[in-house]
Amino acid sequence: MVGILEKRDKLFPEKVRIFTPDVDRLYYEGNLELLKKTAVAVVGSRKCTPYGRKISGEIGKKLGNAGITVVSGLARGIDTESHIGAVNTPGKTIAVVAGGTDQFYPPENRDLQRKIADEGLLLSLKPPGYKCRPFDFPIRNKVISAISDSVVIVEATSRSGALITAECAMEHGKDVYALPGNITSIYSFGTNTLIKEGAIPLVVVDDLLRDFGKNVYINVEKNLNLGNDETLVIDVLREYGEMTIEEIYHKTNIHPLDLNGIMTVLEIKGIVFSAMGKFFVANFKE
């Protein structure tokens, strides 16, 4: 069942009223209470790297497990992975779609969209039956920023719509985080440029959680979900304390290229931190 919120309604989101005053009506399916919770937008390019997909899912899951609602646009790529990461967590997820809530775009996200409608919240500026057009996405991105307290850009090309969301968030006076990326990758051009222009580099997801006053202790039994190599690295760090990447390599014999990727993922998960060229393990709650 699709509901309608008019601007004059008491339930109309105050954030939308303030930040996007030209929006007079919203269509929705799902739990409107999520609009009252702390929310972070996690967005990025439709075309992205496997690394970007993995990290956006990890960010969505970690935010959701901390009780933060993850907002995105249900597009292919980064948006999809952030929704998947958060949909089964306590924080849940909000999808702001460009077409009607009964239209499945992209079509491969049909099941995900239905799950979000059942367990999270679907929002749209368009009535049922409306098929989205290219000019519908910029205003959709403004709404994503409006209902979010902060915005995270995972990967973005120079023409990515996610940069519109970032620009709106900056205009709204909200924190914008960007994931640093390879300077030779077109998929990181947008995020690296945002950092150059003043966005906060998201090196550790726990930095974002701390900004919202969330506990960053990690429950060893429930929340790590580590692979064999990741477990080996953690065991070595816990035994020897602060170590350089070379020292970790000599203790684990993991190929340096693989090890660099593992350390990056562990940092994003908030399991390890780095400072002055050395890595150390985060605080754990047994």
Side-chain angles (χ1 to χ4, degrees), residues 17-247:
R17 198 190 308 273
I18 294 171
F19 294 115
T20 53
D22 53 332
V23 174
D24 296 321
R25 184 181 295 108
L26 289 171
Y27 299 86
Y28 71 93
E29 291 185 49
N31 182 10
L32 288 176
E33 290 297 312
L34 292 180
L35 291 170
K36 301 177 183 179
K37 297 180 64 174
T38 299
V40 173
V42 182
V43 296
S45 293
R46 291 171 173 79
K47 294 182 179 180
C48 57
T49 67
Y51 170 75
R53 289 179 180 276
K54 180 176 178 65
I55 295 305
S56 55
E58 293 287 351
I59 293 173
K61 183 176 182 180
K62 189 147 193 176
L63 290 174
N65 281 330
I68 295 174
T69 298
V70 173
V71 182
S72 201
L74 203 64
R76 293 184 178 97
I78 298 301
D79 290 20
T80 293
E81 298 303 323
S82 63
H83 285 305
I84 291 173
V87 69
N88 291 319
T89 67
K92 301 300 181 183
T93 187
I94 298 173
V96 185
V97 295
T101 59
D102 61 342
Q103 301 298 299
F104 299 104
Y105 181 82
E108 63 267 26
N109 278 352
R110 177 184 295 264
D111 290 342
L112 176 61
Q113 183 169 327
R114 285 174 170 165
K115 187 174 181 66
I116 293 172
D118 289 339
E119 302 180 13
L121 178 64
L122 277 180
L123 282 181
S124 176
L125 286 82
K126 303 298 181 180
Y130 182 88
K131 295 184 179 181
C132 61
R133 296 167 173 81
F135 52 77
D136 294 314
F137 291 94
I139 184 62
R140 184 278 305 269
N141 293 342
K142 290 181 181 181
V143 173
I144 289 175
S145 169
I147 65 175
S148 303
D149 297 291
S150 294
V151 170
V152 177
I153 312 297
V154 177
E155 285 185 335
T157 63
S158 60
R159 300 181 64 181
S160 172
L163 299 181
I164 296 175
T165 309
E167 181 180 352
C168 291
M170 291 177 179
E171 292 175 353
H172 296 159
K174 302 178 181 184
D175 286 334
V176 175
Y177 297 79
L179 186 74
N182 189 329
I183 63 173
T184 65
S185 172
I186 61 171
Y187 303 108
S188 293
F189 180 86
T191 51
N192 289 337
T193 299
L194 286 172
I195 292 170
K196 181 180 178 181
E197 294 176 350
I200 304 168
L202 186 64
V203 179
V204 181
V205 180
D206 285 348
D207 290 342
L208 180 56
L209 297 180
R210 287 190 186 92
D211 288 348
F212 288 102
K214 297 294 182 179
N215 190 339
V216 298
Y217 282 87
I218 300 168
N219 187 303
V220 175
E221 297 299 325
K222 293 183 179 180
N223 293 331
L224 291 187
N225 297 320
L226 300 175
N228 291 336
D229 286 345
E230 291 174 325
T231 300
L232 176 59
V233 169
I234 293 298
D235 289 343
V236 166
L237 282 172
R238 296 180 80 176
E239 180 177 356
Y240 293 97
E242 295 184 5
M243 301 176 71
T244 65
I245 194 77
E246 291 81 8
E247 290 170 336

